[in-house]
Amino acid sequence: MALLGQSVDELTAWVSAQGQPSYRGQQLYQWLYHKGVRSLAEITVFPKRWREHLEGVEVGRSQIRHHHWSSDGTLKLLLGLADGETIETVGIPIGDRLTVCVSSQVGCPMACDFCATGKGGYRRNLAPHEILDQVLTIQSEMQRRVSHVVFMGMGEPLLNLEAVLKAITCLNRDIGIGQRHITLSTVGIPQQLQRLASYELQITLAVSLHAPNQELRQQLIPSARHYPLSQLIADCRTYVQQTGRRITFEYTVLSGVNDRPHHAHELAALLRGFQSHVNLIPYNPITEAHYQRPSGRHLQDFLMQLQDLGVAASIRRSRGLDREAACGQLRQAQLVAHP
Ligand code: SAH
């Protein structure tokens, strides 16, 4: 098992089992989480002979395969995992914040029609250390502390809830990121919202809605066929009652598809009386789909219609989207170049 993701007590038990004094557990903890070592051989406070002995121990760090800096300061990384799979992670600096957009799976089984990751198929779940590594890697490459984490990279986090919860615990306890600075984004998986609510976390939940009615939603999100919109919204309302936390709805705006005046009316009716916020995300064109990005003016009109109907909404600016750096596309480009 990788060392990354373990608590100070677990690390202390581990060093003790190696016949070392227990204070070395605290040292290991500091070097893993705060100095971000990639191998135990780098821990210079450990005796040289022990370090040589530890060389092959799995810390749980990835290898950086590709860097892509965007003109707005966003860093997108392609990371190579121990079994050769690759994932994307993105560091987004905005003012004094540094947000990391982490992946929770290699690929994604949800197959949303406008999503590059969904078009690429699914490989496997990530382990907790593979999620944590993304945050530590962005932190060291951008040379500043990460303040926020969003599970909006590749994958569906509620299909990997156990590992995601472990990673959240560790981000909070060991890396020092407040739960209120962590957002989990999901398309909605039956029964999993209830499960998530039962942990009573302070994190923010974002639900990918993308359509105001069942028919359109299941066209865009195939898995929605097994989770009716009415049930999803009912589960969201229960989640808010149970946790006292507000929900954000994400709505990727596809020109002419889900941004007509009647869509605004349907959405307002769907969310009436529901304390929530709608984030409009202009569609980010991908090569595998034929949707159109809405114009700035059109997006603004749709926003105004929603606001006039009493829906709390705002537009989310996409960042780091020049060339192949949009969601899922860096990995896709690499797979095409080096299959
Ligand atoms: N599986 C989770 C998290 C992954 S993606 C979920 O679906 O919520 C994070 C957000 O980006 C989702 O709302 C997703 O629908 C959106 N997204 C994916 N591809 C996009 C694209 N090409 N343009 C705009 N938004 C996109």
Side-chain angles (χ1 to χ4, degrees):
M1 193 170 73
L3 293 176
L4 197 62
Q6 299 196 29
S7 67
V8 69
D9 290 346
E10 288 166 329
L11 294 173
T12 302
W14 185 81
V15 297
S16 300
Q18 310 278 317
Q20 292 289 324
S22 58
Y23 67 87
R24 298 226 180 272
Q26 183 67 34
Q27 291 177 325
L28 175 56
Y29 179 78
Q30 290 294 336
W31 286 68
L32 269 185
Y33 293 110
H34 302 137
K35 295 200 194 263
V37 289
R38 296 184 157 273
S39 118
L40 297 187
E42 292 171 46
I43 307 183
T44 48
V45 290
F46 285 174
K48 195 156 181 288
R49 275 197 49 205
W50 190 41
R51 262 191 284 154
E52 283 164 7
H53 179 72
L54 292 177
E55 230 159 89
V57 172
E58 195 199 349
V59 169
R61 299 302 306 266
S62 63
Q63 283 179 346
I64 300 175
R65 294 279 183 84
H66 191 82
H67 276 85
H68 178 88
W69 287 96
S70 297
S71 48
D72 62 6
T74 297
L75 173 62
K76 181 161 234 177
L77 298 176
L78 186 74
L79 301 177
L81 307 177
D83 63 354
E85 294 289 358
T86 54
I87 51 167
E88 292 184 5
T89 194
V90 192
I92 308 161
I94 301 180
D96 56 6
R97 289 181 172 200
L98 175 57
T99 301
V100 183
C101 179
V102 294
S103 295
S104 56
Q105 298 183 312
V106 182
C108 184
M110 306 315 285
C112 297
D113 201 35
F114 50 84
C115 175
T117 304
K119 295 284 182 190
Y122 169 69
R123 303 286 295 179
R124 67 170 172 86
N125 274 333
L126 292 184
H129 69 269
E130 291 170 323
I131 298 172
L132 297 165
D133 163 76
Q134 299 173 56
V135 175
L136 293 178
T137 302
I138 287 288
Q139 198 154 265
S140 64
E141 290 305 295
M142 297 184 86
Q143 297 194 349
R144 54 185 278 203
R145 290 289 300 262
V146 165
S147 60
H148 292 71
V149 173
V150 294
F151 285 84
M152 292 188 186
M154 315 179 87
E156 172 42 58
L158 290 192
L159 288 179
N160 189 15
L161 189 54
E162 204 178 315
V164 165
L165 287 171
K166 280 196 179 144
I168 290 174
T169 301
C170 181
L171 284 171
N172 192 225
R173 179 191 63 199
D174 307 315
I175 302 182
I177 297 172
Q179 283 196 11
R180 285 168 191 265
H181 288 188
I182 299 174
T183 299
L184 186 154
S185 174
T186 177
V187 81
I189 305 293
Q191 273 95 54
Q192 295 299 78
L193 287 180
Q194 291 91 317
R195 241 186 99 195
L196 182 63
S198 72
Y199 291 94
E200 298 182 353
L201 301 175
Q202 297 294 308
I203 62 168
T204 299
L205 178 65
V207 173
S208 292
L209 206 53
H210 310 318
N213 62 61
Q214 175 64 18
E215 192 191 345
L216 179 56
R217 192 164 189 269
Q218 70 182 39
Q219 258 174 46
L220 302 174
I221 307 170
S223 67
R225 217 165 297 146
H226 311 291
Y227 196 9
L229 184 55
S230 52
Q231 186 62 50
L232 172 65
I233 297 293
D235 290 346
C236 288
R237 287 183 191 268
T238 309
Y239 180 91
V240 171
Q241 277 166 7
Q242 280 179 357
T243 60
R245 307 283 302 156
R246 223 170 58 160
I247 287 186
T248 300
F249 288 107
E250 293 161 284
Y251 197 99
T252 294
V253 184
L254 307 162
S255 186
V257 174
N258 61 359
D259 62 349
R260 298 284 173 85
H262 71 271
H263 294 122
H265 282 273
E266 273 181 303
L267 190 56
L270 188 69
L271 301 181
R272 191 153 293 141
F274 191 167
Q275 270 262 338
S276 57
H277 188 93
V278 175
N279 246 327
L280 300 178
I281 314 170
Y283 167 64
N284 197 359
I286 61 167
T287 39
E288 306 86 344
H290 298 290
Y291 296 106
Q292 300 294 317
R293 188 180 171 93
S295 70
R297 210 192 51 129
H298 192 90
L299 198 61
Q300 202 63 40
D301 284 350
F302 190 60
L303 174 70
M304 299 271 276
Q305 286 166 37
L306 287 173
Q307 289 174 338
D308 287 347
L309 291 163
V311 178
S314 54
I315 295 172
R316 188 162 80 206
R317 303 269 158 224
S318 312
R319 310 217 352 150
L321 300 181
D322 40 320
R323 287 199 293 148
E324 85 282 22
C327 342
Q329 290 178 63
L330 186 60
R331 174 168 180 267
Q332 209 56 35
Q334 293 282 316
L335 286 178
V336 171
H338 316 279

